């Protein structure tokens, strides 16, 4: 596959490491009430859609950016590639 | 004499070659098949199941019959298609699947026994008793299976891998491919034109057709010349595109040296190219298909287009008396071309109701029996018969992404599905456009369209050419006679087998394939699949598209394993990483161990130490007695800086890091989010906003990746910067009671306990050179780790050894390191197994619950904290003379060795020279409460069963007095 | 005390090694000091101006740039590898840290890498056999991290006929073997 890196352009997916569902961005607060249930859900209960899926990929043999790649799991068509840091910030993650 | 005039061979040169030990000659431009045919050799092999005599039926890579063992010795390659083997001087080939000789094959008895070998024979015969499967049936089947023989020697040739980039990849250099390449090349696009043949031109080389008023072959040659002159065009002859992968990545094998006796020095035999392209045109032509009739498999019976190709391209007549059996106008070209060469040709046109119903000739075709439309039969003597049942577009690559081909009644063949692969279009015969005019026009049009997508304007310049229709009336098999009519000649699948499959209910195309082995030979059914499908359709009364389609997976043609391996073989299988002390250790005769890519010193034998244990015992004892030096460079080092670096560490480590002072080191325990231990190591605070983290050797890369994940994905606004410094510093551990005295001789600053206490760190100099010093210990001894820039690593080990001479210091390897850490009860790789928590390791108290570090929450889950869970324990044999076995499981006395009774296992076992017996670490259920208990330690694989006592994991200096000394 | 430790090149010799194979020359180059430079969060503009004042180029993604004293290669977002002559900048991080103060994180990288300079008039053909970095297209100044023979390397196109490869120092021998093997296959 080819991943169109937002900064570096098209790169061979062989340079990347795949992690999984980009929902991992939303790590629960470990000190909050009910943290245990939320962490079980966060860690183990992932969606595995046949179709469009937002995934975390790491450009290990490149610039070491984590990316959010929107990929159709049935066709491998990639419709969006974003910097994970930007996505995380936009979705409310900070410090 | 079978050589006739004409053809694209160089008759001024003669090449000598041999087949089955007999010498022949041919010319440059010949294939092995054309040269054999020119020498009147029609018999080239034996079929797989019935050992039927066979000859070439094609002139291309689809060949199912003429497959030979090429070359001798280590370069011997089985299942090589004679039809695409470029002739070279000295070529040696042997027929295969016959014994003792091709002309007399004892296994041909199978042919007589064919009623027993029908489809499903293996399934039906070798079913019971089950006890026979492995011991009796499998060896029988294996002996009978397989065609050629491997040399069983190492392949002496090298294979390269490479990467190519282009705007437009064109697969196939026939009229469509050439016209597309000319159009795109003239427009300035980056073009790769790949063709499996050594001579580009495709069918133009095999025909007498004209293009632009000149011969097609000449037009092709001129086009290739023009393309070669364009710097933006890359011609890849002898290159087979073997598969289409995602997003414009194609794989291709270039046969760089296969047309030579052996590769030139340093040159690869083949190159596996990974091609990145924006657009692709598949112009791979079409493959002719036979019509099945009784005994249609004799040497001399060929596809009509192949018979014509041998005459036109190679100047070979397979016989003076020839017949052509066709259901379409293309077959008539063979009649015309052969007649023009002066041969006597009989036409059997199925469209007029004439059929070939049988043939004769044990080792080669002698006669055929014809039944005319009026019912009259006649037998005529011929030595060659060309058969044409139509042409199948060569859509193999276009179906690699499961795009289902579409049936076209006009040509009675499958067409590639539109948009079956993003960015790929099919042109010419591959798209079902069989006339030369259509191929040229389509090649031009597709190139213009592909370039327009990329914003490049190209212009059309299409030469004139014939535009004749195929006029095909389908005929799949001749309904006559009781004998066998072959559908897939290589695997000996006949019309009868298809009928049997239908009778037994295997009507779906996937079942048909697996039940009869149709299309499962080295040719993957390139000639036979559609025919088999058509026969099944007729038998079931369905249409062909209703019956099914066949699609193809890569590779398009067989690929040498060496090409897939590339240079990564033997010593070059993977790169190695050398530690800074490698050169010195090599001089000392060190024994190395591979740890990932690293080569680490395992132990350093001295004279008079015939066993490794003696060396390791000495290294341990001497370190504990005086001083030992160990290269610890392989531990991962990550430089962590930023104003939030401390806060960041507090989140990635389970234990507290906020309180770490500048100039101090702390042990850190890193968990995964699921609460299991990921890694451990020490982190030193080198400055206000500067830390150096160490990781285990194995986890250096995954931990770095994890830290980047944490800082970019989880906490994007933490001010933290990371970079690996593993390679930048040569780091040595100096341990033992004399460690300080030894090191003080080299370090320019005071390293007394007062100036440099336990767990201190800081910048120092070593004889004027910049260095870093850490007072940390893995061995349990008074110890330091000293780091110098890697360029000084070699000098540093020599300086340490020299400084240690007066203390009789040793250099120790990973084995002694392992002994000392087990003696101290430190966990390492065997305990950090991905399934163990901090609590399991006896480190539960380190997990701070006052902060939200990765893994904290889930480490507190029910089950993870169960009091009867596994705990790290020390283990020693009750009888000190007995040795523990790593991997052994704990059983209470009297319990049988079953999984239900399993109490835990031994993770690490060493011989402690300090204690004088074997010791181990292990995980034992409720281990904390079982000190002093005696258990059995059972390893069923090693067949050991000994009594052990559970003890503290800290065998040596449990209070840690030595390391604070 | 004078420095008594004797340095070795990454290939393990006193002097750098150079191999000429056909029209390709592969030379080990230990004469460059390297340090990584990463802007602290929120201080990117400050780093840019401090760098400009100090004559340190900060090229964009996929690029490298050379100036009088310093050169730099883009490593990742807001992160660069700064190059300078080893003879004058042996302790390069000690030289850079005062320039940037707390605005940037600076880490010595000199000894983490083996540097090979490859010169040839047919560089694109050589690199086709090594990595997916397309030198037919990447002109002078292009730089990327990629994989050569399983090793993560930086490939920096200095000029039409000269490329620098920075590879992991511990694998200097493996990388050298890969480069010379590819060169022999082309010669």
């Amino acid at each position: 596959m080819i991943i169109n890196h937002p900064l570096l352009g098209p790169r061979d997916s062989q340079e990347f490491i795949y992690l999984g569902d980009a929902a991992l961005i939303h790590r629960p607060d470990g000190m909050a009430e009910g943290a245990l249930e939320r962490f079980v859900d966060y860690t183990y209960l992932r969606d595995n859609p046949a179709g469009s899926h937002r995934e975390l990929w790491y450009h290990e043999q490149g610039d070491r950016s984590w990316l959010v790649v929107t990929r159709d799991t049935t066709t491998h068509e990639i419709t969006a590639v974003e910097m994970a840091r930007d996505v995380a910030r936009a979705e409310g993650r900070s410090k | 004499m079978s050589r006739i005039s004409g053809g694209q061979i160089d008759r001024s040169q003669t090449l000598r070659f041999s087949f089955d030990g007999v010498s022949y000659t041919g010319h440059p431009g010949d294939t092995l098949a054309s040269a054999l045919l020119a020498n009147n050799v029609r018999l080239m092999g034996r079929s797989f199941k019935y050992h039927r005599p066979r000859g070439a039926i094609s002139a291309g890579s689809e060949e199912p019959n003429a497959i030979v063992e090429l070359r001798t010795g280590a370069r011997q390659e089985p299942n090589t298609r004679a039809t695409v083997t470029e002739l070279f001087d000295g070529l040696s080939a042997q027929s295969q699947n016959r014994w003792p000789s091709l002309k007399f094959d004892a296994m041909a008895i199978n042919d007589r026994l064919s009623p027993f070998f029908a489809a499903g024979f293996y399934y039906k015969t070798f079913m019971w008793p089950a006890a026979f499967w492995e011991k009796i049936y499998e060896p029988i089947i294996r002996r009978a299976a397989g065609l050629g023989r491997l040399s069983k020697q190492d392949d002496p040739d090298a294979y390269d891998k490479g990467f190519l980039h282009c705007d437009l990849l064109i697969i196939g250099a026939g009229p469509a491919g050439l016209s597309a390449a000319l159009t795109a090349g003239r427009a300035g696009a980056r073009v790769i034109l790949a063709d499996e043949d050594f001579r580009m031109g495709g069918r133009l080389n095999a025909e007498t057709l004209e293009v632009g008023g000149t011969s097609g072959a000449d037009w092709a040659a001129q086009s290739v010349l023009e393309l070669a002159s364009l710097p933006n065009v890359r011609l890849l002859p002898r290159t087979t595109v073997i598969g289409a992968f995602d997003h414009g990545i194609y794989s291709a094998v270039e046969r760089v040296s296969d047309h030579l006796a052996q590769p030139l020095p340093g040159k690869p035999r083949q190159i596996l190219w990974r091609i990145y392209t924006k657009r692709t045109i598949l112009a791979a032509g079409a493959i002719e298909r036979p019509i099945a009739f009784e005994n249609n498999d004799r040497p001399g019976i060929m596809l009509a287009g192949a018979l014509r190709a041998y005459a036109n391209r190679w100047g070979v007549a397979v016989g003076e008396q020839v017949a052509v059996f066709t259901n379409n106008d293309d077959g008539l070209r063979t009649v015309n071309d052969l007649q023009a060469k002066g041969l006597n040709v009989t036409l059997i046109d199925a469209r007029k109701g004439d059929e070939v119903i049988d043939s004769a000739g044990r080792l080669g075709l002698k006669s055929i029996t014809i039944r005319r439309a009026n019912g009259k039969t006649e037998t005529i003597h011929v030595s060659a018969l060309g058969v044409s049942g139509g042409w199948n577009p060569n859509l193999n690559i276009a179906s690699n992404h499961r795009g289902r081909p579409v049936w076209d009644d006009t040509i009675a063949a499958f067409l590639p599905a539109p948009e079956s692969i993003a960015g790929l279009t099919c042109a010419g015969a591959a798209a079902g456009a069989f006339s030369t005019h259509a191929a040229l026009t389509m090649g031009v049009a597709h190139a213009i369209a592909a370039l327009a997508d990329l914003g490049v304007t190209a212009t059309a310049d299409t030469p004139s050419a014939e535009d004749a229709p195929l006029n095909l009336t389908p005929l799949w098999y001749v309904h006559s006679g009781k004998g066998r009519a072959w559908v897939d000649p290589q695997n000996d699948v006949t019309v009868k087998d298809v009928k049997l499959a239908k009778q037994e209910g295997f009507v779906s195309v996937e079942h048909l394939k697996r039940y009869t082995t149709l299309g499962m030979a080295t040719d993957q059914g390139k000639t036979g699949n559609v025919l088999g499908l058509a026969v099944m359709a007729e038998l079931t009364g369905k249409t062909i598209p209703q019956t099914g389609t066949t699609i193809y997976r890569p590779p398009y043609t067989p690929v040498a394993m060496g090409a897939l391996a590339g240079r990564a073989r033997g010593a070059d299988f993977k790169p190695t990483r050398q530690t800074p002390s490698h050169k010195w250790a090599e001089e000392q005769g060190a024994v190395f161990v591979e740890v990932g890519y690293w080569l680490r010193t395992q132990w350093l034998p001295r004279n008079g130490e015939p066993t490794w244990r003696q060396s390791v015992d000495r290294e341990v004892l001497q370190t504990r007695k005086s001083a030992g030096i160990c290269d610890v460079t392989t531990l991962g080092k990550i430089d962590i800086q930023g104003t939030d670096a401390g806060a960041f560490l507090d989140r990635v480590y389970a234990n507290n890091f906020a309180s770490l002072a500048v100039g101090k080191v702390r042990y850190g325990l890193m968990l995964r989010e699921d609460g299991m231990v990921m890694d451990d190591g020490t982190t030193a605070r080198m400055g206000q906003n500067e830390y150096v983290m160490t990781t285990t050797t194995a986890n250096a890369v995954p931990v770095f990746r994890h830290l980047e994940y944490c800082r970019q994905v989880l906490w994007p606004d933490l001010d933290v910067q990371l970079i690996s410094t593993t390679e930048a510093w040569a780091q040595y551990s100096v341990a033992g009671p004399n460690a300080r005295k030894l090191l003080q001789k080299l370090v320019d600053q005071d390293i007394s306990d007062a100036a440099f206490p336990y767990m201190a760190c800081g910048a120092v100099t070593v004889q004027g050179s910049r260095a870093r010093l850490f007072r940390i210990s893995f061995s349990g001894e008074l110890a330091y780790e000293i780091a110098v820039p890697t360029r000084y690593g070699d000098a540093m080990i020599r300086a340490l050894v020299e400084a240690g001479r007066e203390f009789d210091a040793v250099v120790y390897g990973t084995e002694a390191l392992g002994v000392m850490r087990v003696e101290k009860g430190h966990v390492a790789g065997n305990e950090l197994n991905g399934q163990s928590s901090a609590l399991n390791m006896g480190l539960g108290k380190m997990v701070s619950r006052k902060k939200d570090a990765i893994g904290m929450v889930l480490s507190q889950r029910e089950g993870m904290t169960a009091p009867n869970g596994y705990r790290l324990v020390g283990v020693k044999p009750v009888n000190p003379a007995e040795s523990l076995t790593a991997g052994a499981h704990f059983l209470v006395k009297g319990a049988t060795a079953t999984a239900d009774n399993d109490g835990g296992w031994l993770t690490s076992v060493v011989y402690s020279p300090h204690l004088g017996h074997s010791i181990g670490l292990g995980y034992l259920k409720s281990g904390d409460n079982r000190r002093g208990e005696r258990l059995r330690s059972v390893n069923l694989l090693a067949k050991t069963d000994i009594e052990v006592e559970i003890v503290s994991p800290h065998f040596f200096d449990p209070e840690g007095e030595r390391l604070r000394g | 005390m004078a420095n008594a430790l004797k340095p070795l090149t990454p290939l393990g010799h006193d002097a750098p090694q150079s191999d000429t194979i056909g029209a390709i020359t592969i030379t080990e180059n230990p004469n460059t000091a390297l340090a990584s430079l990463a802007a602290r969060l929120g201080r990117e503009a400050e780093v840019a101006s401090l760098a400009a004042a100090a004559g340190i180029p900060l090229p964009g993604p996929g690029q490298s740039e050379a100036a009088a004293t310093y050169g730099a290669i883009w490593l990742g977002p807001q992160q660069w590898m700064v190059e300078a002559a080893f003879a004058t900048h042996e302790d390069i991080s000690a030289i850079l840290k005062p320039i940037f103060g707390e605005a940037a994180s600076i880490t010595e990288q000199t000894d983490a890498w083996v540097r090979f300079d490859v010169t040839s008039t047919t560089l694109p053909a050589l690199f086709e056999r090594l990595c997916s970095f397309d030198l037919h297209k990447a002109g002078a100044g292009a730089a990327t991290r990629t994989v050569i023979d399983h090793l993560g390397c930086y490939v920096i196109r200095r000029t039409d006929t000269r490329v620098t490869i920075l590879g992991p120092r511990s694998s200097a021998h493996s990388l050298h073997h890969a480069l010379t093997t590819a060169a022999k296959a082309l010669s």
Side-chain angles (χ1 to χ4, degrees), chain B residues 352-394:
Chain B
K352 295 177 179 160
D354 298 346
E355 289 177 327
V356 177
I357 58 169
D358 200 358
S359 77
R362 195 173 70 84
L363 298 175
L365 183 65
K366 286 186 175 152
S367 66
I368 54 172
T369 304
I370 302 165
R371 184 177 60 197
R372 295 290 179 188
N374 59 14
K376 279 177 70 178
T377 63
E378 58 181 302
T379 297
I380 60 167
H381 290 276
V382 290
S383 45
L385 169 68
V387 181
S388 182
W391 293 76
N392 293 322
N394 190 5

Side-chain angles (χ1 to χ4, degrees), chain B residues 160-165 190 234 265-268 271 273 276 278 567-568 572-579 583 597-598 639 641-644 689-690 716-725 727-729 748 766-770 788-792 794-796 799, chain C residues 1-8 12-13 36 38-41 75 77 79 81 86 90-93 97 102 104-113 127-134 136-137 147 149-151 168-174 177 181-182 184-187:
Chain B
D160 262 348
K161 288 191 183 182
F163 308 83
L164 296 174
H165 305 257
R190 279 180 85 180
R234 174 101 168 220
K267 299 284 186 197
I271 303 173
W273 292 111
Y276 302 88
K278 296 188 179 108
R567 298 275 178 180
D572 292 340
F573 179 63
K574 56 184 169 46
T576 54
R577 300 175 79 179
Q578 293 184 0
T579 66
K583 192 177 181 185
Y597 288 174
W598 287 106
D639 201 75
Q641 296 191 37
T643 52
D644 293 324
N689 296 320
E690 268 188 72
D717 289 333
L718 282 183
D719 177 33
V720 181
Q721 291 82 41
L722 307 170
I723 193 152
S724 167
T725 57
E727 310 255 335
W729 298 89
D748 303 330
V766 172
Q767 299 183 346
S769 176
R770 286 178 298 111
V788 294
T790 308
R791 61 184 175 272
Y792 299 123
D794 178 78
M796 190 67 193
Chain C
M1 190 186 278
N3 189 346
L5 298 177
K6 190 183 76 166
L8 286 188
H13 306 298
S36 64
R40 293 264 168 92
L41 208 65
L75 300 185
Q79 192 180 41
M81 187 78 86
F86 185 85
E90 187 267 330
D91 195 357
I92 184 168
S93 62
K97 277 183 178 179
E102 285 294 316
S105 295
I106 288 152
T107 304
E108 181 170 338
Q109 286 282 304
T110 308
D111 287 55
W113 304 94
F127 277 78
E128 279 172 7
R129 308 275 180 104
L130 291 171
C131 62
S132 62
F133 188 40
D134 180 13
H136 290 282
K137 209 171 161 189
V147 183
D149 195 25
H150 308 278
L151 300 168
R169 181 179 177 119
S170 65
S171 295
H173 285 99
S174 293
H177 178 67
T181 302
K184 281 175 197 155
L186 282 173
S187 63

Side-chain angles (χ1 to χ4, degrees), chain B residues 660 663-667 682-685 759-761 774-776:
Chain B
L660 183 68
K664 286 290 186 186
V665 191
R666 183 167 292 174
Y667 174 78
T682 59
T683 289
R685 190 170 189 182
M759 288 301 201
C761 67
F774 309 86
R775 190 167 158 199
I776 49 178

Side-chain angles (χ1 to χ4, degrees), chain B residues 858-870:
Chain B
L858 292 186
S859 75
Q860 305 304 319
R861 272 179 295 166
E862 192 182 350
M864 297 276 287
T865 53
N868 62 347
Y870 291 114

Side-chain angles (χ1 to χ4, degrees), chain B residues 882-953:
Chain B
E882 289 190 305
S883 292
L884 301 173
T885 316
H889 284 251
F890 302 125
L891 293 170
V892 296
K893 287 186 202 165
T896 51
T898 63
D900 287 346
N901 294 327
D902 181 22
W905 71 100
L906 268 167
T907 52
S908 301
V909 167
V910 298
Y911 176 81
S912 168
H914 173 75
L915 297 169
H917 59 75
S918 179
I919 60 170
L921 297 175
Y923 287 125
L924 176 66
K925 284 177 185 165
S926 305
D928 284 348
N929 308 321
R930 299 174 73 175
R931 300 267 162 88
E933 197 173 323
R934 291 189 173 187
L935 297 170
R936 283 166 61 207
S937 163
V938 178
N939 186 323
L940 295 176
L941 290 176
K943 296 188 172 60
T944 57
D945 183 351
I946 67 168
E947 192 181 11
V948 297
E949 184 182 333
I950 303 306
V951 297
S952 157

Side-chain angles (χ1 to χ4, degrees), chain A residues 24-50:
Chain A
L24 282 171
I25 289 170
H26 300 287
R27 183 178 184 274
D29 178 357
M31 305 310 284
E33 200 68 23
L36 183 62
E37 287 69 28
R38 277 198 282 275
F39 266 94
V40 169
D41 187 12
Y42 170 73
T43 307
Y44 294 107
L45 304 179
R46 308 262 177 79
D47 290 337
N48 184 20

Side-chain angles (χ1 to χ4, degrees), chain B residues 704-745:
Chain B
F704 193 93
R705 183 187 308 148
H706 174 68
L707 298 184
E708 285 285 9
Y709 165 76
C710 290
R711 87 178 181 108
Q712 294 180 38
V713 178
L714 298 184
W715 303 298
D717 289 333
L718 282 183
D719 177 33
V720 181
Q721 291 82 41
L722 307 170
I723 193 152
S724 167
T725 57
T726 305
E727 310 255 335
W729 298 89
Q731 195 148 323
Y732 295 99
S733 166
V734 182
N738 287 319
R740 181 180 298 125
K741 280 188 233 167
L742 189 163
L743 207 52
Q744 188 68 77
K745 291 170 70 177

Side-chain angles (χ1 to χ4, degrees), chain B residues 147 308-309 813 872 948:
Chain B
L147 285 169
R308 176 161 97 236
L872 188 75
V948 297

